[in-house]
Amino acid sequence: MKIHEFQAKEWLKQYGIPIQDGITVQDKAGIKSAIDKVAEELGSKAFIIKAQVHAGGRGKGGGVKFAANKEEALSLAHEILGMQLVTPQTGAEGRLVKKIMITEALDIDKEFYLAIALDRSKAMYSYIVSEAGGMDIEEVAQKTPEKIIRYSVNPAYGSALPAYQARLLAFRLRLDPKAQAFKDALKIFTKLYKLTLELDASLVEINPLVLTKAGRLIALDAKMNFDDNALYRQKQILAMRDLDEEDPDELAAQKYNLNFIKLKGNVGCMVNGAGLAMATMDIIKLKGGSPANFLDVGGTASSETVKNAFSIILADPNVKTILINIFGGIVRCDRVAQGVVDAQKSLARKVPIVLRLVGTNADIAKKIIDESGLSIISVQHLEEAANEAVQLANKG
Amino acid sequence: MSILVNKDSRVIVQGITGQEGSFHGEQCALYGTQLVGGVTPGKGGQKALSMQVPVFDTVYAARQATACNVSLIFVPAAFAGDAILESMDAGMELIVCITEGIPTKDMLGVYDRIQKSNSRLIGPNCPGLLSPDEAKVGIMPGFIAKKGNVGIISKSGTLTYEAVDQLTQLGIGQSTCIGIGGDPIIGSKMDDLLSLFHADPETEALVLIGEIGGAMEIEAALCYAELTTKKPVVAFIAGETAPAGRRMGHAGAIISGADESAAAKKKFMRSKGIHVVDSPADIGKTMQALLA
């Protein structure tokens, strides 16, 4: 799960990590008083207006702007709040900006990159720090990998980062051990680690972490992702979920316990198991077609789940045909077949269906399909299934 | 022959009185696995399944009474990490955790300790293991498998069944099929099991099924390149068409320095002599050609 910058900053603040502060606004009527308040309480003469969307690359799309005074801030805030923000991560359609953060502007001397992320290979959390802050870190990693410092922390330490490791990171960033910024860095590294573990974060990123002209280290931006498996014990994180940032079709699928991701093609897919679902999409592409979605009906596909899956797939007008690929291990094919037949009778919109059921009770399933009188193309092999579906989709 | 589980394996189920544990425990026993007992705290002394196997309060008590050496875990996610540690401390040789949804942080601690112990962990979030005609320790459908000489290592569930089915249809049997699990942190990785299968004289060839995300397939290819005698490996990597950016933050990939896309993995594996197929329908055929 992702949260917004302003929410991530609330967490940083709570853990005692200094942030570039500000006020979050949802409607235009609140803009002016927010600017006045930032000026008054934070003593800032200049401002930064920042769009609050989950997609990265906000600055590149014009969603983050500097205002030299209150008047500029007012007009920029009006411009950004409600805009359709297009960034390298949103796709061409962009994302509607429903919230903005109006923050103080700081005098910056230097920018660093700081993140804690899960290193799957080592099975440890790792720090990533760099003196090349404020930039796209993936680009830095690609062009100048020597500028990126990685450091793993053994899980046996619990949520307490050993002091020497914090010092090591601060030295690697070439901070002066006599300066206040060095002390700030130790505190930030230690607290950020504690936060990551205590909140079950999978990624915490501060980019940039700035050294101000006054010699202090401050988090200018913040991004946090959380482990979905741990949300049951992170109620405060779960409460920060913003449904506006999620795809409405995917949300509907979640209600039915279906794992669904919408794509741009025209072959609808209904598969059990994530791996087989991806493999089915891959073979559709290989046969010259294009999948309309990823959909995993899960390990207990019943007649009800199949019906729900149909309605979600058919909500996409691009879908020309549906390929159903079920490998019945625990799942019984006859139940799936019954679900397909029931759904076909009750659904308003009908598209050709290619059905492949293998495994437990596949023979009974075939009989149910054959006797239903519905025009369902029943196939035996995966390749055949993909060929049929692609041909149907390209024809329609 | 097989690796890790065979007809001599003495298996217990942790969570045997729960819905999943009792259903799949029963299926394992019916397959012919030596299912010698189960554990549910507070239900010690009872009997479970139609075979009336004894239930114990602790894994330690089960081990004392039954000399079990393999544990199969169906405990809910919030308690599964603890269940793995209990089995490890009781000295179980093999721990197979089917449970899906264990928080990553819990697994980091578990993984660290398992590495320092004598126990091997398979999973979590996996379908378990199947050595055809010997033992089934997990949830794989036994009827699709056939005894033989191809080892299977897979991140996926139903895609594994697809691969097994293709092989069986062509008359190619399997030594052991292992579903290692799709979670970010798992007990046994591909490279590790690849080496185990290479040490098994009865396994002649291998099928490797991976997917996007993580660097495990790359590590397996590196491990394969180092082996002095190589058995033929057919691999499929799912997710060529999966949309980018749906995975966990890219910072994870930056750390490992690996490109986690399907295309990058396939290219690297091919460069190390692994027969990577583009179509999931070609796994069986390709193996058949290699064995001919």
Side-chain angles (χ1 to χ4, degrees), chain A residues 8 24 111 149 225 273 285-286 290-291 330 343-344 376 381:
Chain A
T24 305
E111 296 185 316
I149 300 156
N225 293 356
K285 186 84 181 286
L286 275 175
S290 177
I330 313 309
Q344 279 299 291
I376 294 170
H381 297 286

Short mmCIF file of all heavy atoms in Angstrom, two decimals, chain A residues 8 24 111 149 225 273 285-286 290-291 330 343-344 376 381:
data_model
loop_
_atom_site.label_atom_id
_atom_site.label_comp_id
_atom_site.label_asym_id
_atom_site.label_seq_id
_atom_site.Cartn_x
_atom_site.Cartn_y
_atom_site.Cartn_z
N ALA A 8 3.22 10.62 4.70
CA ALA A 8 4.54 10.08 5.03
C ALA A 8 5.29 11.07 5.92
O ALA A 8 5.98 10.69 6.87
CB ALA A 8 5.33 9.82 3.75
N THR A 24 -1.86 20.79 4.01
CA THR A 24 -2.49 20.12 2.88
C THR A 24 -3.90 20.67 2.66
O THR A 24 -4.66 20.86 3.61
CB THR A 24 -2.54 18.60 3.14
OG1 THR A 24 -1.20 18.17 3.43
CG2 THR A 24 -3.05 17.84 1.95
N GLU A 111 21.96 18.36 -1.62
CA GLU A 111 20.87 17.37 -1.60
C GLU A 111 21.41 15.95 -1.58
O GLU A 111 22.28 15.60 -2.36
CB GLU A 111 19.98 17.54 -2.85
CG GLU A 111 19.26 18.88 -2.89
CD GLU A 111 18.30 18.98 -4.07
OE1 GLU A 111 18.68 18.57 -5.18
OE2 GLU A 111 17.18 19.47 -3.87
N ILE A 149 25.51 4.15 -2.45
CA ILE A 149 26.06 3.34 -1.37
C ILE A 149 24.94 2.48 -0.80
O ILE A 149 23.87 2.98 -0.47
CB ILE A 149 26.62 4.26 -0.26
CG1 ILE A 149 27.73 5.15 -0.84
CG2 ILE A 149 27.12 3.44 0.92
CD1 ILE A 149 27.94 6.42 -0.06
N ASN A 225 6.02 2.92 1.06
CA ASN A 225 5.18 1.79 0.66
C ASN A 225 5.13 0.82 1.83
O ASN A 225 6.12 0.67 2.54
CB ASN A 225 5.77 1.04 -0.53
CG ASN A 225 5.77 1.87 -1.80
OD1 ASN A 225 5.26 2.99 -1.82
ND2 ASN A 225 6.34 1.33 -2.84
N GLY A 273 -4.66 -18.90 -10.24
CA GLY A 273 -3.24 -18.84 -9.91
C GLY A 273 -2.54 -17.72 -10.64
O GLY A 273 -2.77 -17.51 -11.84
N LYS A 285 -0.03 -12.99 -26.11
CA LYS A 285 0.85 -12.04 -26.80
C LYS A 285 1.68 -12.76 -27.87
O LYS A 285 1.81 -12.26 -28.99
CB LYS A 285 1.76 -11.38 -25.76
CG LYS A 285 2.64 -10.26 -26.26
CD LYS A 285 1.90 -8.94 -26.27
CE LYS A 285 2.75 -7.80 -26.80
NZ LYS A 285 3.77 -7.39 -25.81
N LEU A 286 2.20 -13.93 -27.52
CA LEU A 286 3.02 -14.69 -28.47
C LEU A 286 2.23 -15.08 -29.72
O LEU A 286 2.78 -15.18 -30.81
CB LEU A 286 3.53 -15.97 -27.82
CG LEU A 286 4.81 -15.89 -27.00
CD1 LEU A 286 5.08 -17.23 -26.33
CD2 LEU A 286 5.98 -15.48 -27.87
N SER A 290 -3.55 -9.55 -27.63
CA SER A 290 -3.19 -8.65 -26.56
C SER A 290 -4.16 -8.83 -25.39
O SER A 290 -5.37 -8.69 -25.56
CB SER A 290 -3.24 -7.22 -27.10
OG SER A 290 -2.97 -6.32 -26.08
N PRO A 291 -3.64 -9.16 -24.20
CA PRO A 291 -4.53 -9.41 -23.06
C PRO A 291 -5.22 -8.13 -22.55
O PRO A 291 -4.60 -7.07 -22.52
CB PRO A 291 -3.61 -9.99 -22.00
CG PRO A 291 -2.23 -9.56 -22.38
CD PRO A 291 -2.23 -9.37 -23.86
N ILE A 330 -7.11 -28.40 -6.64
CA ILE A 330 -8.06 -28.36 -5.54
C ILE A 330 -9.41 -27.90 -6.09
O ILE A 330 -10.46 -28.38 -5.71
CB ILE A 330 -7.59 -27.34 -4.46
CG1 ILE A 330 -6.11 -27.56 -4.12
CG2 ILE A 330 -8.47 -27.42 -3.23
CD1 ILE A 330 -5.70 -28.95 -3.77
N ALA A 343 -23.46 -17.93 -15.50
CA ALA A 343 -23.15 -16.53 -15.79
C ALA A 343 -23.58 -16.16 -17.21
O ALA A 343 -24.13 -15.09 -17.44
CB ALA A 343 -21.64 -16.29 -15.62
N GLN A 344 -23.34 -17.06 -18.16
CA GLN A 344 -23.73 -16.80 -19.54
C GLN A 344 -25.23 -16.59 -19.68
O GLN A 344 -25.68 -15.83 -20.52
CB GLN A 344 -23.28 -17.96 -20.44
CG GLN A 344 -21.82 -17.89 -20.82
CD GLN A 344 -21.52 -16.64 -21.61
OE1 GLN A 344 -21.94 -16.48 -22.74
NE2 GLN A 344 -20.79 -15.71 -21.00
N ILE A 376 -19.85 -22.13 -26.52
CA ILE A 376 -18.58 -22.00 -25.83
C ILE A 376 -17.59 -22.92 -26.51
O ILE A 376 -17.89 -24.09 -26.75
CB ILE A 376 -18.73 -22.39 -24.33
CG1 ILE A 376 -19.64 -21.38 -23.63
CG2 ILE A 376 -17.38 -22.46 -23.65
CD1 ILE A 376 -20.07 -21.79 -22.24
N HIS A 381 -5.75 -28.01 -24.98
CA HIS A 381 -4.39 -27.56 -24.74
C HIS A 381 -4.26 -26.04 -24.66
O HIS A 381 -5.04 -25.32 -25.26
CB HIS A 381 -3.45 -28.10 -25.82
CG HIS A 381 -3.37 -29.60 -25.81
ND1 HIS A 381 -2.69 -30.28 -24.83
CD2 HIS A 381 -3.93 -30.53 -26.62
CE1 HIS A 381 -2.81 -31.58 -25.05
NE2 HIS A 381 -3.57 -31.76 -26.13
#
